[in-house]
Amino acid sequence: MPDEQEVLEDNTTRAVIAPGYTFGTVTDQIASVVLTKHQPMFWVACFGVAFSLLLLFLWAIVLLMAKGVGIWGIRTPVMWAFAITNFVWWIGIGHAGTLISAILLLLNQQWRNSINRFAEAMTLFAVACAGMFPLLHLGRPWLFYWLFPYFPTTIGVQPNFRSPLVWDVFAVSTYGTVSLLFWYVGLMPDLGTLRDRAKNRIGKMIYGVMSMGWRGSAKHWSIFETASLLLAGLATPLVLSVHTVVSFDFTIAILPGWHSTFFPPYFVAGAIYSGFAMVLVLAIPLRKVYHLEGLITRRHLDNSAKLMLATGEIVAYAYIMETFLAWYSGDVYEQAAFWHRMTGPYAITYWVLITCNIILPQALWSKRVRNNTPVLFIWSLIVLVGMWLERYIIIVSSLAQDFLPSSWSLFQATRWDWATFLGTIGLFTFLFFLFIRLLPMISIFEVRTLLPQAKVEEEVRG
Amino acid sequence: MSDLRKKLDLAAVRARLEGARGREYWRSLDDLASTEEFQDLLEREFPRQAIGWSEDENSVDGRRNFLKLMGASLALAGLTACTKQPVEHIMPYVRQPEELIPGKPLFFATATTLNGVASGVLAESHEGRPTKIEGNPEHPGTLGACDPFSQASVLQLYDPDRAQVLTYEGEVRSWAAFLAELRNIVVRQRLKNGAGIRILTETVTSPTLAAQLHAVQQALPAAKWHQWEPAGPHSARTSAMQAFGQPVHTRYNFLNANVVVSLDSDFLASGAGYLRYAREFSARRRVRTDQTTMNRLYAVEPMPTATGTKADHRLPLRAGDVEEFARALAAGVGATNGPQSGQNGDIYKWIGPISRDLLANKGASLVIAGECQPPIVHTLAHAMNAALGNVGKTVIYSDPVEAKPVDQVASLQDLVNDLDAGAVDVLLILGGNPVFTAPVELGMRDRIQKARLRIRLGLYEDETSEVCQWHLPEAHYLETWSDGRAYDGTITLMQPLIEPLYGGRSVLEIVTMMTDLPQTGAYETIRSYWASQHTGGDFEGWWRRAVHDGLVADTALPAKTVAVRGDALAPAAQAPQAGGSLEVVFRPDPTIYDGRFANNGWLQELPKPVSKLTWDNAAIIGPGTAHSLNVDTGDMLEVSYQGHSLRAPVWIQPGHVNGSVTMHLGYGRTRSGRAGDGMGFNPYGLRTAKALWHDTGLEVRKTSGSYLFATTQNEHALDTRRHIIRQGTLNEYLKNPESVHEGAEVPPRTLTLYPEFKYEGYAWGMAIDLNACTGCGACVVACQAENNIAVVGKDQVRRSRAMHWLRVDAYYSGDPDNPAIYNQPVPCQQCEDAPCELVCPVQATSHSSEGLNDMVYNRCVGTRYCSNNCPYKVRRFNFYLFSDYETPSLKLLHNPDVTVRSRGVMEKCTYCVQRINYAKIESEKENRKVREGEIQTACQATCPTEAIVFGNLNDPNSRASRMKAEKLNYALLADLNTRPRTTYLASLRNPNPEIEA
Amino acid sequence: MTKGVFGVMAEFDSPSALVNAARAVRSEGYRKFDAYSPFPIEELHEAMHLHKNKLPLIVLCGGITGGLTGYLLQYFVTVIYFPINVAGRPLHSWPSYIPITFELTILFAAISAVLGFLGLCGLPMPYHPVFNAPRFALASREQFFLCIESSDPMFDFEKTKGFLESLEPKEVCQVAH
Amino acid sequence: MSQIFHHSTNTLARVTIFGGVFILGFVSWALAELDTSAYATRATQAREQPVPFSHAHHAGGLGLDCRYCHTTVETSGFANIPPTKTCMNCHSEIWSTSPMLEPVRASFRTNTSINWVRVHDLPDFVYFNHSIHISKGVGCETCHGRVDRMPLTWQDASLRMQWCLNCHRHPDRYVRPREDVTMMGYEPAGDQEQIGRQLVKQYHIQDARALTSCSTCHR
């Protein structure tokens, strides 16, 4: 295993995890976060903020249900704005988790072992946030089930399988389900650990039930490994498909600025881009607060930063190409759409997004920037902002000025647009900190495999 | 949106236009200005950066209350399927009326009146509820067309803000009590021959009412009858007296006119008989393979009107300069011998060509003076028409249509004098709203209170009722019997469709109360009057027929010959040409007229022609004036005239003449009702008897504050390459019919992977003739009435959430000071490959077997994806519960054949599918095909110029098919290959070669 | 004698020791035994010949079922169940069916993978005799266990116990039912 | 280490997993059933009426033709409830003193409508037209059931869209000769399939594509 050698050759910065750990100590350090009684101020503070944002969210939803989507700034022709922007943004963020847990597993990148757990959790919560918007933005949310085919029905009408929105429904729900299963299967051994280490009976019971009686049997381990490989194999095309399907929402439409053939790769890259930004935003404070620098090392941050950079470049390329093609196509509407984007009422937003997504991230080429955690943290935030603006621009600026100038009109966000958006951030953080509190945020058993002690010396022969 | 406007740089505009190659279209001055380089743009756009707090989205709460008033439903329609419904009850008739078949609408002929002139309509009635107004094809004044006011009159009938009780000083009284009071007034007044009685009415054309008033005056010789109509044809009356020495009514025949010169006349969209004029005028403009001639229109006007948009040559002139123009033209055609040139080049530049054109068409030309122009202009027009030998051909003189033509200003002045003299014991104000509409210097509000007893009959408890002891609820025209005369004098009968909702009485009934048979009802009065007039036998048959037709055939007033007196044309006492000072121009509002329709949501929300402004009036100025005053749309002005002053927001109107300010009357109501109160400002506050229509000497001062307008038209440049409006000149077209389509590409049908869907049987389609459309907006209201379309209110319109299924877009091209203006009605295009259908996740919108783009409201979950993907943006979304499910009176208004849409549902034009289905069912019951013309969509039926034609495209002989076969036919955004069923005929102009060169 | 005894369990300190023990036990002829470790050990699987299982097959079937379900569902609804002219597209517009077909393939495959995993492992099994072993809690932390079960034909309490002790474990204990 | 769970929990655990799936299936099935159930559709529930009018007696016993009272059924979309006058045509003579009929007489006297409870009530976004169905040979019985056997009227069919579609997709299975539309207990003279197909042609009944277009019923 390549990483093994690296551990030996250089155990300062390149190490996957710092030296000196034993099976026991990693177990205790990670499990203690969950099993301890009191939490650090950091946790309490963040949880408090998240919770108040969550309340704001609920408030906004109640109003939405009572009055209708009119409380948002949407209008003819900008019928979609914040809701769909948030949807695409959250879904995109989700991608990093699956990518780390699935693709890196297949590529046998062992360094993933100490970050995949919370990255997957992040995926789940991001998908949860994303999944709400397609329902919330409906004019009549209580009829959401009409988007699913169901028998028997007294209406006799089924969804329109030609509509990308229906594809979305399938893609997102599949994505959510598969991620959840994958995550849970991965959790079972650690749940076993917690069960065995829980102090009180209730704890033992709960973790016992959740671990389904995992006992680390070799037979189980071998099937377990097959299962995770298979799930990884399934999740990999899935994660690529999800944002592809999301991008169909736009490419299938005839709107200038939407109707484009290369959205899928462009969107997937963007998704991973924002995903890794979110991973860093979460990882950097966590390792500090819970003293996990030994497990989530410089190396992890560095690799994530590199991935960010790589996908960032792809996104940059996409921006350039779509603008070029708009010009090259000679299509009146496309050209106008991009001209408006760059010089029209949304110009500021557009150029801010270019700065956040293309210009500033170039700094990541420098090792010094990548190794400077505070800067890396801020840069990741910038990328998150940038990616949100990207979706906003694609959706709103294309809608605001399309074919017939007579109907053009500019979107203006209302306070309820903002409340809903910030609200989901609250929900996300809320769930994430619950997760930290109740489940091991790092995969214990996978970290054990990284320890030198885990290596089986072959010389002994019975 | 107007709140997104910015400073206007006219220099930049001009520069841009110089640089522009070929014809450059634009939507507003803002676009033209929006060519500054990037930096400037950023700095300008930033404040209205798209992500930002929208200030007042909470005001929707306030607005909701108002919304509740508009639109209604029978039971909870449009809610989700598969739910247990509340138990409903059925209450059958006890004795079912003969002619009535439950579930089938009945049509009754009646008429609406404006300024006393009656236009015949057919009112549709469902189980006794009038729900829709159509034109009466038999009636000479309408020929089946209908104007926005009449269309919206049903909403007025059910308006919950109507006066509902009879009050004396605020206390509810009975009609009996009032009758008693009135009777002993009459008895007491007999002693002094009624010297203390004054009756103030609106213009009266009703023979019966006139007769009754006459009877009253017989009994009470000293009683006086005054008439006041703020927007009546005052000048025409005066001019007739001056020119002919007798009251003469002028009407026109555009069918015979090859050349028309409009002296500030909006004959295509306002004034008596305009429906017919528009029909005749457009008939001469319809260019087809078999009709290659076209009339030519010269329009001279300060503010661009519907008529102006159709002009082949439009000359923006200050209202005050029109007289000078008329004099010059009169000299030009040899009607007078005055100067044909002067220092003001603008006025004289076209005199030569126009007069030559007129002279070349002697007897087939027409000079028409606007109702808002001073008498002398009318007199000059008379003289010119005489000189051009048009009299009897395009111009017909007859006895007056009005029962008693008086100089209403003088009449009102006379009343005021009596009031001051304290000679008035009893003042009956029957209809009208003089306190609001009378010239400002008369101070009517205080003056009226000098009458000892003030009795007011009115639809609403308005400003006038406020100062009257008695308020009597007036009966709506759909609630009572009446009669009147059409624009050509044709006797028109009006019958009620419904019992008075609030026990109102008509003017006729009140006047009758003063006669010796006070208890006689309107029906008896009218019937007996006509019985007394009837000559020859079988009155019963005659009467039945008259009521059924809504008119008495061949009763148009006969033409009479009159000659213009020489002295009438005496050169002006030097028309006041205070060159520098601004001119103020008053005009009746295009949608709420003189203010009487202020509480009518349909009319308030109907975008005004050209400006597309809703819910507001404004101080409308030209770009040049704006530049010199350094003001921009939305800025507040302090305007003062003759010591009166008020604050008004600026609206910059391309094509508006520079140097004058146009204000539309009717806004600034304080007691109109929930919809009208507090909307706009009140120009009556500046309007004096001297200057009813315009005068110089207006002072304006820019003041602090800004104003948010609600328009349905947004500001952006129109890329000519989009070929949205296709147009050309008649000659180009005759040379090369394809010329109008230059540069436009239509992808071949083969450009698709998929096989075609075949449409056997019917294939519904629509053709719209841009050459005929005047942009009057009648179709928009008709659609609203037919399809239960909700009113959303100013705030929501500002958020561009107006619900109109059919909109009329306006595009400009050319110099902002005098651009060419094009109107384009845009309903759902019913694309065969509809982008909206593809993306709907629940199949709420899909294609019918006849090619209709069906919209199933009850299936819609409101993803709004369809609207996003609709290139024509004709889909409308219920962002809130816009429809009214509570107000009882409004429930009666609704068309039972159309679902009332609930919150969160998308809706759109369906070619009036309810009418299609009705016709299909009727035809199938008779085992036949639907006949051509049997189905008329609401917009088509009401269109004065027959610009909209609907029909079966599988029938090559249907009018729609034949129009689509025309060379001028084109599809909007054809290059998208959506294959719309709605197509347009390109618009043609017929410019005078002399001028165009 | 073997009544009430589930098996005999030996505890080891390192993965290597466990692997060697497993090899020894197997070569001794025992078949019904199992090893318990805090993390997966490749060599152990080899030692115990655990390299084949049916999971991939199960997943394949699941995937195929999913794919068919997806496509047929869409075909049935748009062509047979309620044919509607949507945007002038043919009733059977197969290109639009691809995404959902794909998604359902994945979904079914993934679900069968998880259920298959649980099934093959016989989980959930909250109660298991090995938990009776006093120090077994450490199996999920740092210790390595090997248990020979009484159901093994060769099982004889004393002999087996002795044999295990010969493998120098940390300690050997009896596991009760 | 001691056991946390009892032996039995193993079986329990497995059962819950499959049980969960089972319960889910059951719930969805129950909901679907409920939706079509008489409870939701009010089908087959006789309604209390101000006057206990019996179709069984009038249509069945006396054999009155449906159109004697429901006069507009052939001409209008709405099959009218007869005006009180119609009742009084006979009941001013027969049963003219029956207390049961007092509401009818009262209505006639005071000229106020009888407040009938609506039995067949489609949602307001559905536009059903009686006249066209009659003229295309759809019998009253086909939708309303054996009214001649209803002492108090009830709704026979579910009136759910799915139910409407049955006929709109295969009119030939339901149509009958025009002259028999009001006949109760109609039996096709021969093979319905073949008669139906023939009638569909004869009455120019549109094809399924047209009959199942959304705007045929929804506007």
Side-chain angles (χ1 to χ4, degrees), chain B residues 639-966:
Chain B
V639 295
S640 43
Y641 169 74
Q642 310 233 329
H644 311 284
S645 77
L646 47 81
R647 279 165 56 83
V650 174
W651 177 274
I652 302 175
Q653 176 58 55
H656 190 287
V657 69
N658 292 322
S660 50
V661 180
T662 302
M663 303 182 195
H664 286 129
L665 302 168
Y667 278 95
R669 294 284 307 267
T670 53
R671 287 193 49 145
S672 64
R674 276 162 284 191
D677 287 352
M679 290 289 165
F681 65 95
N682 179 6
Y684 283 114
L686 297 183
R687 195 184 188 217
T688 63
K690 285 267 158 303
L692 282 180
W693 297 119
H694 58 82
D695 189 13
T696 50
L698 180 78
E699 271 109 47
V700 305
R701 193 167 54 76
K702 185 178 177 185
T703 64
S704 61
S706 68
Y707 192 84
L708 294 182
F709 287 109
T711 66
T712 57
Q713 161 182 316
N714 306 303
E715 334 293 352
H716 286 285
L718 174 57
D719 189 330
T720 27
R721 295 181 300 166
R722 299 184 181 207
H723 304 284
I724 292 171
I725 294 282
R726 301 192 189 173
Q727 59 93 52
T729 67
L730 181 59
N731 292 337
E732 289 167 8
Y733 168 75
L734 293 177
K735 269 199 231 79
N736 166 19
E738 293 299 335
S739 56
V740 291
H741 305 303
E742 228 162 60
E745 58 162 316
V746 181
R749 184 53 198 145
T750 53
L751 252 188
T752 170
L753 299 171
Y754 291 135
E756 250 187 282
F757 259 90
K758 289 265 159 293
Y759 296 99
E760 288 92 5
Y762 304 108
W764 306 116
M766 181 180 278
I768 301 176
D769 186 350
L770 295 183
N771 215 24
C773 175
T774 62
C776 67
C779 48
V780 178
V781 190
C783 178
Q784 189 154 25
E786 171 72 13
N787 294 301
N788 303 336
I789 295 172
V791 173
V792 297
K794 181 180 174 181
D795 177 73
Q796 292 296 305
V797 174
R798 224 172 48 63
R799 292 161 193 285
S800 65
R801 291 172 178 180
M803 295 300 282
H804 298 133
W805 287 1
L806 170 59
R807 63 173 195 268
V808 182
D809 292 344
Y811 295 108
Y812 303 99
S813 87
D815 177 357
D817 279 337
N818 185 17
I821 304 172
Y822 304 96
N823 298 303
Q824 182 174 46
V826 185
C828 172
Q829 307 285 303
Q830 310 286 345
C831 315
E832 280 187 10
D833 295 352
C836 52
E837 294 177 2
L838 183 69
V839 297
C840 173
V842 292
Q843 301 199 10
T845 180
S846 66
H847 246 59
S848 85
S849 59
E850 289 155 2
L852 291 180
N853 176 234
D854 289 345
M855 180 69 218
V856 190
Y857 310 119
N858 46 295
R859 176 67 177 172
C860 178
V861 295
T863 65
R864 309 183 296 287
Y865 200 173
C866 52
S867 168
N868 286 345
N869 209 27
C870 171
Y872 310 96
K873 291 288 175 281
V874 291
R875 291 176 158 267
R876 297 288 177 258
F877 186 68
N878 291 273
F879 289 89
Y880 292 110
L881 186 62
F882 287 142
S883 304
D884 184 323
Y885 287 83
E886 282 94 34
T887 316
S889 71
L890 288 173
K891 290 187 183 181
L892 301 174
L893 167 62
H894 273 235
N895 180 350
D897 297 330
V898 178
T899 308
V900 173
R901 283 77 61 188
S902 71
R903 180 241 282 194
V905 170
M906 190 65 70
E907 59 185 68
K908 71 163 191 67
C909 159
T910 59
Y911 278 167
C912 290
V913 65
Q914 65 279 10
R915 294 185 175 202
I916 297 175
N917 285 359
Y918 185 83
K920 271 175 64 190
I921 287 174
E922 292 310 303
S923 68
E924 287 188 24
K925 281 192 283 187
E926 296 161 25
N927 265 320
R928 59 170 177 84
K929 281 266 172 200
V930 174
R931 296 192 198 87
E932 163 67 7
E934 190 174 356
I935 306 172
Q936 286 210 325
T937 62
C939 49
Q940 170 187 19
T942 204
C943 180
T945 62
E946 292 179 314
I948 302 174
V949 175
F950 170 87
N952 175 9
L953 303 185
N954 278 353
D955 167 8
N957 300 322
S958 70
R959 280 179 64 213
S961 304
R962 279 189 272 113
M963 275 174 82
K964 284 171 182 288
E966 289 291 333

Side-chain angles (χ1 to χ4, degrees), chain C residues 81-83 91 115 118 122-137, chain D residues 1-10 13-14 17-18 161-162 165 169 209 212-214:
Chain C
Y81 183 71
F82 199 153
L91 296 176
L115 293 182
L118 292 177
L123 295 175
M125 193 184 288
Y127 174 94
H128 193 279
V130 290
F131 291 127
N132 294 329
R135 286 171 55 81
F136 190 75
Chain D
M1 166 187 181
S2 65
Q3 292 285 355
I4 307 171
F5 300 95
H6 184 265
H7 211 299
S8 58
T9 49
N10 288 353
R14 301 204 181 94
I17 286 190
F18 300 102
M161 178 166 164
Q162 194 60 286
L165 285 170
R169 287 194 175 120
R209 167 99 12 119
T212 56
S213 288
C214 305

Side-chain angles (χ1 to χ4, degrees), chain A residues 53 56-57 59-60 414-424, chain B residues 53:
Chain A
L53 279 177
L56 174 67
F57 182 63
W59 179 20
T414 68
R415 69 196 58 171
W416 298 116
D417 283 304
W418 289 106
T420 325
F421 176 39
L422 298 177
T424 44
Chain B
W53 294 88

Side-chain angles (χ1 to χ4, degrees), chain A residues 65 67 72 74 76 79-80 137 139-140 160 163 249 254 333 343 346 348-349 402-403 406 408 413 415 418, chain B residues 41 49-53 57 61 714 716 722 800-801 809 839 841 860-865 869 903 975:
Chain A
M65 295 299 156
K67 284 187 165 186
W72 292 341
I74 49 175
T76 329
M79 287 288 192
W80 286 356
H137 96 297
R140 302 197 290 171
N160 170 17
S163 165
D249 288 347
I254 65 175
Y333 314 110
T343 68
Y346 296 96
I348 282 289
T349 329
D402 62 344
F403 294 99
S406 56
W408 291 358
R415 69 196 58 171
W418 289 106
Chain B
L41 218 154
Q49 192 36 257
I51 305 182
W53 294 88
E57 79 275 1
D61 306 289
N714 306 303
H716 286 285
R722 299 184 181 207
S800 65
R801 291 172 178 180
D809 292 344
V839 297
C860 178
V861 295
T863 65
R864 309 183 296 287
Y865 200 173
N869 209 27
R903 180 241 282 194
D975 44 349

